[in-house]
Amino acid sequence: MAPTTETLTAERILEATEEVLRRHGPAKATVVDVARALGVSHGSVYRHFRTKAALREAVTKRWLDRTSGELSGIVATEGDPEARLRDWLGALFAAKRRKAGDDPELFATYMVLTGETGTAVGEHITDLTAQLARIIEAGVESGCFAGTTDAEKTARAVFDATGRFHDPRYAREWEEPGIEADFAAVLDLVVRGLRP
Amino acid sequence: MAPTTETLTAERILEATEEVLRRHGPAKATVVDVARALGVSHGSVYRHFRTKAALREAVTKRWLDRTSGELSGIVATEGDPEARLRDWLGALFAAKRRKAGDDPELFATYMVLTGETGTAVGEHITDLTAQLARIIEAGVESGCFAGTTDAEKTARAVFDATGRFHDPRYAREWEEPGIEADFAAVLDLVVRGLRP
């Protein structure tokens, strides 16, 4: 086996896939395109990702996981759960906004990909609401949030209620004047709704 | 002036425009298409709508106004403001869902049209949040909602927080199982957020 193939990890393939997508748009990123970019045979790529669909789903998941990874640090901190909830929702808005604003073409590409793969977005929302649920549970324990029989359900309500500030469908509105004030108003409404 | 022209009201033109759109999709509904459907000269239509853009904007506004019209009845009722707020948001969700579900092609056509005209959607949101603000003001007066210095801003926060249940961008999710439970959870969160 050639040295190139030996070091061909899934992560290296996904990096190359993102690069192919960045350069050539959502129509590209087939197994063959990626193998060519890496200078390996397509058989080597197939050993990691058995279909074009699997490759595209994996690169989409990786992109979405970057956001959940950033946010998980906020969940893990100690300190006032209400402040943590505000930080977390603010960080989610900031992360999505950065993704949409810093590299609009790659963002548009990933919008096409998330539309293709049914499961990646669903799992991403499950990850995010699970993080939110942990903050809400901490708030219920400390008494700063009202008791809930179902923290996951409450978390989903908070996630839905703040959708305008993280759902990519609204990306075009994120640079409009007044969006920060709108976000602050929804955040206040939601936090008041969680209090006992 | 021929009798046909004498009775050619803006409303009749808009009815015919919607019919043309229903049959032929968003690319149609030019002044000429509509004149042909009505059996009148395009000059007669131009007397009411000076450009294709004006005609398309007017028919979009009429379609959006139908929803605001339905909801205004709820604002005008007496009775508990919290119940009125729940009724109003429930009726908004139901109206949008009906529009999307009963005639998906016409709905898709209007989605194209709302994307074209900058002002119609903005005015629609202003109408709706003004209705919400009146209910919130009634709640502040009766003491069931917390005092607010800016009922319009609070209304916009309530409108944003419930977006998943009225914004056409989510239309595909409105027939999914669990959507009613998700709506109820957001509604409870929002109502709790408004209480003193």
Side-chain angles (χ1 to χ4, degrees):
Chain A
M1 217 183 260
T4 342
T5 323
E6 282 184 295
T7 56
L8 190 66
T9 59
E11 180 55 28
R12 260 195 71 211
I13 295 171
L14 293 174
E15 264 169 39
T17 305
E18 186 164 288
E19 204 42 46
V20 169
L21 285 166
R22 193 191 302 277
R23 283 200 208 146
H24 305 292
K28 285 274 173 179
T30 65
V31 171
V32 172
D33 294 319
V34 171
R36 193 178 299 132
L38 285 162
V40 302
S41 73
H42 54 82
S44 316
V45 177
Y46 277 121
R47 230 162 284 144
H48 292 272
F49 300 99
R50 301 182 67 180
T51 61
K52 174 183 153 181
L55 176 65
R56 289 166 79 90
E57 174 129 14
V59 76
T60 306
K61 187 171 161 28
R62 177 175 172 268
W63 185 72
L64 294 168
D65 284 352
R66 242 178 272 159
T67 303
S68 344
E70 273 181 50
L71 294 169
S72 61
I74 298 171
V75 178
T77 57
E78 298 295 311
D80 176 38
E82 184 178 311
R84 235 190 296 169
L85 183 84
R86 288 178 180 274
D87 283 353
W88 191 93
L89 289 166
L92 176 62
F93 185 23
K96 297 276 175 179
R97 219 170 163 183
R98 220 182 312 116
K99 276 185 168 177
D102 290 358
D103 198 341
E105 283 182 23
L106 188 67
F107 188 77
T109 289
Y110 275 114
M111 286 308 96
V112 173
L113 266 64
T114 53
E116 276 174 12
T117 74
T119 58
V121 172
E123 284 171 18
H124 181 55
I125 294 177
T126 304
D127 282 356
L128 292 176
T129 50
Q131 292 192 12
L132 262 179
R134 283 181 55 201
I135 302 176
I136 290 168
E137 278 162 1
V140 172
E141 264 173 51
S142 80
C144 76
F145 293 150
T148 171
T149 48
D150 189 343
E152 292 279 343
K153 194 180 136 194
T154 307
R156 177 68 207 224
V158 170
F159 190 77
D160 283 348
T162 51
R164 191 175 167 219
F165 311 100
H166 56 71
D167 190 320
R169 280 174 262 216
Y170 292 95
R172 283 204 308 182
E173 297 176 19
W174 293 342
E175 301 308 321
E176 281 176 8
I179 192 80
E180 287 292 347
D182 286 356
F183 177 55
V186 169
L187 200 54
D188 283 343
L189 182 68
V190 162
V191 165
R192 281 200 312 268
L194 289 172
R195 285 187 193 145
Chain B
M1 219 179 263
T4 341
T5 322
E6 282 185 292
T7 55
L8 190 66
T9 59
E11 180 55 27
R12 261 195 73 210
I13 294 171
L14 293 174
E15 264 168 40
T17 305
E18 186 163 287
E19 204 42 46
V20 169
L21 285 166
R22 193 191 303 275
R23 285 201 208 145
H24 304 292
K28 285 275 173 177
T30 65
V31 171
V32 172
D33 295 318
V34 171
R36 193 178 300 130
L38 285 164
V40 301
S41 74
H42 55 83
S44 315
V45 177
Y46 276 121
R47 230 162 284 144
H48 292 272
F49 301 98
R50 300 182 68 181
T51 61
K52 172 183 153 181
L55 176 64
R56 288 166 81 90
E57 174 128 12
V59 76
T60 307
K61 186 169 161 32
R62 176 176 172 269
W63 185 70
L64 294 168
D65 284 352
R66 243 179 274 160
T67 304
S68 345
E70 273 180 50
L71 294 170
S72 61
I74 298 170
V75 178
T77 57
E78 298 295 311
D80 176 37
E82 184 178 311
R84 235 189 296 168
L85 183 84
R86 288 178 181 274
D87 283 352
W88 191 92
L89 289 166
L92 176 62
F93 185 23
K96 297 277 175 177
R97 220 171 163 182
R98 219 183 311 116
K99 276 184 169 178
D102 291 356
D103 198 340
E105 284 181 22
L106 189 67
F107 188 77
T109 290
Y110 275 114
M111 286 308 96
V112 174
L113 266 65
T114 53
E116 275 175 13
T117 74
T119 58
V121 172
E123 283 171 17
H124 182 55
I125 294 177
T126 304
D127 282 355
L128 292 176
T129 51
Q131 291 191 13
L132 263 179
R134 283 181 55 202
I135 301 176
I136 290 168
E137 279 161 1
V140 172
E141 264 173 51
S142 80
C144 76
F145 294 151
T148 170
T149 48
D150 188 344
E152 292 279 343
K153 193 179 137 196
T154 307
R156 178 68 207 222
V158 170
F159 190 77
D160 283 349
T162 51
R164 191 176 166 219
F165 312 100
H166 57 70
D167 191 321
R169 280 175 261 214
Y170 292 95
R172 283 204 310 182
E173 298 177 18
W174 292 342
E175 301 308 321
E176 281 176 9
I179 191 81
E180 287 291 346
D182 287 355
F183 177 55
V186 169
L187 200 54
D188 283 342
L189 181 69
V190 163
V191 165
R192 282 200 310 270
L194 290 172
R195 285 186 193 146

